[in-house]
Amino acid sequence: MLAEKAGTNTASAAAGMPSNEGKVLSTLDAPGYTYMELANTEKRFWIAAPTTRVKIGDRVRFEQSLVMKNFNSKTLNRTFDQIIFVNSATIVN
């Protein structure tokens, strides 16, 4: 009885990352949200997710819901050129 493991490592074996994944470069916490600066094979970008415990270097997969340009966060006293608000973010190391 051999368990088939075909395809289990295809995501990690891929040369590039999908556009809905990135490596965490930095994080900022605000009430109810975790802001993450991510980098993937295409670009560097920010996402805002429901509070998520991540650390620099983690690989995160997310479900995009809304892209906002020139978003000002009063809590962080910062304006993001562009930020992606996501429904969920999952560590996929």
Side-chain angles (χ1 to χ4, degrees), residues 55-85:
K55 36 185 205 311
I56 293 171
D58 282 346
R59 184 171 171 163
V60 172
R61 179 179 299 136
F62 58 89
E63 288 183 32
Q64 180 173 321
S65 66
L66 176 68
V67 177
M68 293 193 66
K69 297 194 182 294
N70 297 314
F71 174 74
N72 180 265
S73 167
K74 289 178 176 50
T75 309
L76 298 174
N77 194 24
R78 177 176 180 162
T79 299
F80 296 89
D81 292 339
Q82 179 175 302
I83 192 161
I84 303 168
F85 283 86

Side-chain angles (χ1 to χ4, degrees), residues 11-56:
S12 60
M17 275 189 210
S19 61
N20 70 327
E21 285 186 16
K23 185 175 180 179
V24 178
L25 301 177
S26 62
T27 65
L28 298 167
D29 286 311
Y33 288 96
T34 299
Y35 292 79
M36 295 173 238
E37 183 182 19
L38 303 180
N40 64 23
T41 47
E42 297 172 13
K43 60 187 176 184
R44 288 171 67 143
F45 56 99
W46 283 90
I47 68 170
T51 302
T52 310
R53 292 194 128 190
V54 294
K55 36 185 205 311
I56 293 171

